[in-house]
Each structure stands twice: as C-alpha cells, then as structure tokens.
Amino acid sequence: MSDIFRELLKKVGSGNHTGENLTRAEAATATSMMLLGEPTPAQIGAFLIAHRIKRPTGEELAGMLDAYDQIGPKLQPIASPQPIIVLGIPYDGRTRTAPISPIIALLLAAAGQPVVMHGGDRLPTKYGIPLVEVWQGIGVDWTKLPLETTQQVFEQTGVGFVYTPRHFPLTKRIWEYRDQLGKRPPFATMELIWCPYAGDAHIVGGFVHPPTEAMFQAAFAQRGVTKFTTVKGLEGSCDLPRDRTAIIGLSVLDHTQTIAPIERLHLVAREYGFSSKNVPLLGIEELMAQMQEVLQGIPSELMQTALWNGGFYLWRSGICDSLRSGIAKAEELLVKGAVAAKLQQITQVVHNLSPVHNSKLLTVEN
C-alpha cells in the first residue's frame, strides 16, 4: 500500500463537504503512481471512481498531462512551416456515426499540413470502432510499428500515429480498471488534449459536454498552450456534425487569464451546400466501402462529410483563407487523386519500414 497515494485518495474521495481538488503537482504525482503501479488495486480503483464522481478540474488535467509528458512517448519534431495538428479523439471509438478523421489526416498531409493521431484498440466503455481499425481497413497498420519506425513514417509522409498499446503500454493498467468500473475516468477526458509530439503543435480536442470544454481551457492556460481548437463533434470526436450547428472554439492568444480564451464559431453545414444529416455507421465493411469511394473522388454522403470537415481544417490550419475555399480545395485534392496518392505513399513507406519486410530483405541479401 502507498501512504502517499492514500493521502491523495482521501482528498478526492471525501465527499462534497470535506473533499478537495488536487493541485497540479498532486495530480501529476497520482497519475505517475497509477501508471507505474505503485498503489494497490483497491487504491487505484477507488481513486478513479472517486475522481470521476468529483469531476476533474482543469488544473488536475494539467497535472495529468504533466505526468504523461514525463513518462509517455513523443514523436520528435519535424520540419514544418506551420504547427503540427494533433487530433484528440475518444479512445473508445464510434458506434453510431461514420468517422472521417483518417481521411482528413490524409487530406491535410496531402496539402502540406502534418498530422498526429493517437489511440488504441477497442476499449471500454463503448467498445466502438477505433481509429486503428479504420486505418487498417484502408491499408495502413500502425499497430506493428515501434515508435522509431512511426517517427520515420511521420517524417516521410506527414502522418504519424501513436499506438498506445505498443508505444505507451503503461496505460493498459488504467484501461483494465476502466473496464471493471464500467465508467470513463478522468483519463478519458485528459487523453483528448494529450499531445504526443515534442515540437510546435496545434491541439484539436473533441468534446460532448460544455463543462469539458471549460476544463480544456483551464488546462491549456495552466500549461501555456495557445494553439488549440475545441469541437463539439460527433460522439465527442473532432468530426464536425452536419445535422446540427457545429460549435467550435478557436484559441485566442492571451497569457493573462486562468482560462484560455476562445473565439466562438458556429457553423451550419446546409449554409455551405451540404445536406443536414450525418452518415450512420453500419459496420466496418460498409464503412470501408464508403471510404474507398471518397478516396476515389466519387460523390456520396460520406464525401459530403469529408468536404465539410476537410474544408474546415484546411482553413483552420491556414492553408486556405476561407472555409469556402477550403471546401473547394478539399474537393480538388480528393477528385484529382492527391489524397489517394498520400495513402499509397504511407502504405508503401510502412511496408518498406516494417520489420517483416526488412527481415526478408536481409535474408535475400545474405
């Protein structure tokens, strides 16, 4: 048993009248201890559920991110004229609406905007389709690459994926507790704004509930993050909805406030010529068929989602000077095959750098 951790547990688990929030340093300590397995299972389980019931603060999220920075993996800086975009998407996947973010990552990279994504396998509590399965479905398997190889892919193609089961296996312990508890702990919130990149980054975090966005802002202010975007997206992702107004927060440079200020943006898809409905998720095979049509530039409902999101992120990254020009640029990149070519490049680079391919080359040479 850890006496230090017990004191931290007492602070978050003492109820409405006597409970206390953790300081940033205390949250970092608690996170590090849980990742390293220093408390007992009873202590960790109690902490996670107590912290969820209490609700985390932005300062606590900042401390949790400090621990991830200290212990976790990071892709190293690459040459880029603008900050790398890091897409923060719920690790427990999608169950209702078709995801589009891998296509958007390819589109941005094809336009010269590098992107980093991160996530794991099917995870609680939703056990939805995770990012890695979508990538595998379109031909890129990130799961077998060590971090050093992922770094090479990132440098050569502008797209990187930090696969936590391989690159940050210490997090597996937390996921096991999450499964047993049946509820998302604050780690699930913190992961949405985690930045596994050591250079200049623009963090995009999806959220569902407005208080989560406020926590993001407080954590960003604590950590001095000034380049970020918050998106009330589909199932808490960074994917802009089409069936309702997209509520977005754009970072405003200001170091004087305890809550990082935002400029509020409301976008309505139908005002830009798109239908007002999201594409339902009918299964992984159906999704892959739809994505292949998008990659071929074939008009479809998912193509509308790709143009809507692609246009926004091309504008937000500074590549295009307006949302409408971003949408036009996204259509050009898809229809003329630049996005498909980027996917082919990544697939080839991953194949050439994969351990199996390299071992075969060594065998042939010997």
Side-chain angles (χ1 to χ4, degrees):
M1 182 185 75
S2 169
D3 291 337
I4 295 174
F5 192 83
R6 181 176 62 180
E7 294 305 308
L8 298 174
L9 172 57
K10 286 166 63 177
K11 289 190 71 171
V12 300
S14 293
N16 292 335
H17 298 294
T18 59
E20 301 177 59
N21 295 325
L22 300 180
T23 66
R24 178 174 173 178
E26 287 172 334
T29 297
T31 300
S32 296
M33 293 180 74
M34 285 187 284
L35 289 172
L36 298 173
E38 295 175 3
T40 65
Q43 286 179 313
I44 295 176
F47 184 95
L48 291 176
I49 198 66
H51 203 198
R52 174 187 166 83
I53 293 170
K54 180 189 79 68
R55 300 298 182 186
T57 65
E59 183 176 358
E60 289 171 336
L61 290 183
M64 296 162 71
L65 290 165
D66 291 343
Y68 264 50
D69 281 350
Q70 182 179 11
I71 300 174
K74 279 188 178 293
L75 292 171
Q76 296 306 301
I78 64 171
S80 174
Q82 58 267 339
I84 303 305
I85 285 182
V86 180
L87 295 176
I89 295 169
Y91 281 21
D92 57 0
R94 298 282 278 273
T95 58
R96 303 188 305 275
T97 55
I100 200 64
S101 54
I103 297 290
I104 300 308
L106 291 169
L107 190 151
L108 288 173
Q113 170 61 63
V115 178
V116 170
M117 307 180 85
H118 51 95
D121 301 313
R122 295 205 178 214
L123 296 168
T125 55
K126 283 168 62 176
Y127 289 103
I129 295 176
L131 288 171
V132 287
E133 287 191 22
V134 179
W135 278 108
Q136 287 169 334
I138 59 176
V140 182
D141 189 356
W142 298 100
T143 66
K144 296 180 174 61
L145 304 181
L147 189 63
E148 296 78 9
T149 304
T150 301
Q151 177 73 38
Q152 291 177 280
V153 176
F154 182 42
E155 291 171 353
Q156 294 182 39
T157 69
V159 177
F161 192 102
V162 174
Y163 175 60
T164 54
R166 186 179 185 108
H167 303 152
F168 198 4
L170 290 176
T171 59
K172 182 180 179 182
R173 180 177 290 108
I174 304 301
W175 286 107
E176 290 172 347
Y177 283 100
R178 175 169 165 174
D179 187 30
Q180 295 169 30
L181 294 172
K183 291 292 183 179
R184 296 181 181 90
F187 279 97
T189 301
M190 178 271 296
E191 287 159 347
L192 297 172
I193 53 172
W194 178 42
C195 179
Y197 177 68
D200 189 18
H202 178 150
I203 301 171
V204 183
F207 70 94
V208 174
H209 306 295
T212 301
E213 184 186 39
M215 283 188 278
F216 288 172
Q217 291 175 257
F220 288 143
Q222 285 268 330
R223 289 171 53 83
V225 175
T226 58
K227 303 184 188 82
F228 64 86
T229 301
T230 59
V231 179
K232 185 174 171 60
L234 294 176
E235 299 185 55
S237 74
C238 302
D239 294 355
L240 274 61
R242 288 164 49 196
D243 66 334
R244 58 173 170 81
T245 298
I247 301 173
I248 298 163
L250 309 178
S251 57
V252 176
L253 185 60
D254 187 338
H255 296 284
T256 66
Q257 301 187 40
T258 57
I259 298 292
I262 59 172
E263 176 186 344
R264 181 63 72 203
L265 181 64
H266 296 91
L267 296 176
V268 180
R270 67 175 178 272
E271 294 179 357
Y272 292 84
F274 300 111
S275 62
S276 301
K277 62 180 180 179
N278 300 318
V279 180
L281 180 58
L282 304 177
I284 190 69
E285 292 183 1
E286 177 70 20
L287 175 63
M288 290 306 102
Q290 293 169 326
M291 284 197 162
Q292 289 301 328
E293 288 184 344
V294 173
L295 289 167
Q296 294 169 34
I298 299 174
S300 66
E301 285 296 324
L302 194 61
M303 171 66 95
Q304 289 197 45
T305 298
L307 296 179
W308 177 227
N309 280 269
F312 169 75
Y313 284 107
L314 285 169
W315 166 72
R316 181 60 176 146
S317 65
I319 292 174
C320 296
D321 59 8
S322 70
L323 179 53
R324 292 192 185 278
S325 65
I327 292 170
K329 180 67 172 179
E331 184 172 24
E332 176 188 341
L333 291 168
L334 284 163
V335 172
K336 292 189 176 181
V339 179
K342 176 57 67 174
L343 174 60
Q344 184 177 15
Q345 180 198 17
I346 295 172
T347 303
Q348 188 61 51
V349 171
V350 169
H351 174 73
N352 292 341
L353 294 173
S354 67
V356 174
H357 177 73
N358 290 334
S359 65
K360 289 180 179 179
L361 286 177
L362 288 173
T363 301
V364 171
E365 290 174 358
N366 291 336

